[in-house]
Amino acid sequence: MEGPGADAASAVAPIAKWRSDFSRMFQYYLDRSTPHPLQRWIGTLAAALIYLLRVYCVQGFYIVTYGLGIYILNLLIGFLSPKIDPEFEALDGASLPTKGSDEFRPFIRRLPEFKFWYAITKAFCVAFLMTFFSIFDVPVFWPILLCYWIVLFVLTMKRQMMHMIKYRYIPFSFGKQKYTGKRSAASTSGSPRD
């Protein structure tokens, strides 16, 4: 004999299956996009432009845009920072190599590029959805928010650059370094060989 919970369980089962299937399909396409960073960032740029066009057309939701800007700035700091902060690592005795004779340690980001991209894309999508609800359209004087965000951006980037200079790390690499080998003295003097 079936109890009153049997109907609820049978109604939830298709929803759970649909959610599981959707999650699996979404993860499949997310995994397929991993080796294509240029196309991913172009898609994010398109989402950002659509969001900005929406904000411009409705002439509102500036507080949502400000919150989005603060969130993106926070993500950018994570993207530019090393996974293990040398400032705290120095207290333990270990630090980044500072001389040519020190052991090479590659730069590992606190927030990898894929997670950085994914978080920014989700943020633009959520902010776009928020523009359809008038509760988020708080009336503010947007030039003040823009000036405050610019000041915050400049000060944060200055602090990050000083940290990068102090601990001698560069968060970007432009391809694989090529070893050319040692040049002989004859080839560097410029004299032709017979």
Side-chain angles (χ1 to χ4, degrees), residues 146-161:
L146 181 62
C147 290
Y148 183 66
W149 186 86
I150 290 171
V151 166
L152 191 62
F153 178 80
V154 168
L155 292 176
T156 305
M157 286 297 112
K158 179 182 175 190
R159 192 191 79 198
Q160 186 67 30
M161 293 295 219

Side-chain angles (χ1 to χ4, degrees), residues 20 26 32 40 71 79 81 96 121-122 159 161 182:
S20 173
F26 181 75
R32 290 214 32 197
R40 286 188 283 119
Y71 181 68
F79 180 71
S81 299
L96 288 173
T121 306
K122 277 196 312 187
R159 192 191 79 198
M161 293 295 219
K182 292 184 179 181

Side-chain angles (χ1 to χ4, degrees), residues 33-55:
S33 72
T34 302
H36 307 288
L38 180 63
Q39 290 84 354
R40 286 188 283 119
W41 283 104
I42 289 173
T44 300
L45 181 63
L49 291 175
I50 290 169
Y51 171 75
L52 292 174
L53 183 65
R54 168 85 177 145
V55 169

Side-chain angles (χ1 to χ4, degrees), residues 17-166:
K17 182 182 181 326
W18 178 83
R19 184 174 181 207
S20 173
D21 291 345
F22 177 77
S23 176
R24 190 175 297 121
M25 183 180 66
F26 181 75
Q27 189 63 45
Y28 170 76
Y29 286 112
L30 202 58
D31 292 342
R32 290 214 32 197
S33 72
T34 302
H36 307 288
L38 180 63
Q39 290 84 354
R40 286 188 283 119
W41 283 104
I42 289 173
T44 300
L45 181 63
L49 291 175
I50 290 169
Y51 171 75
L52 292 174
L53 183 65
R54 168 85 177 145
V55 169
Y56 178 76
C57 288
V58 298
Q59 293 291 310
F61 298 98
Y62 302 120
I63 201 76
V64 173
T65 305
Y66 176 73
L68 176 66
I70 295 294
Y71 181 68
I72 290 174
L73 182 60
N74 184 28
L75 291 174
L76 183 63
I77 293 300
F79 180 71
L80 295 176
S81 299
K83 186 174 185 176
I84 301 169
D85 193 352
E87 194 166 15
F88 298 119
E89 194 177 74
L91 299 174
D92 297 337
S95 64
L96 288 173
T98 56
K99 298 179 237 161
S101 62
D102 287 350
E103 178 184 351
F104 171 74
R105 290 178 36 203
F107 181 81
I108 300 171
R109 300 178 189 285
R110 186 174 357 140
L111 182 66
E113 183 270 337
F114 183 81
K115 290 182 179 180
F116 179 58
W117 164 80
Y118 185 60
I120 285 179
T121 306
K122 277 196 312 187
F124 274 112
C125 292
V126 168
F128 180 74
L129 290 175
M130 289 173 76
T131 62
F132 290 100
F133 300 99
S134 61
I135 194 169
F136 297 114
D137 191 11
V138 178
V140 293
F141 187 59
W142 67 266
I144 299 265
L145 286 180
L146 181 62
C147 290
Y148 183 66
W149 186 86
I150 290 171
V151 166
L152 191 62
F153 178 80
V154 168
L155 292 176
T156 305
M157 286 297 112
K158 179 182 175 190
R159 192 191 79 198
Q160 186 67 30
M161 293 295 219
M162 297 305 290
H163 191 266
M164 290 164 57
I165 291 168
K166 181 178 179 182

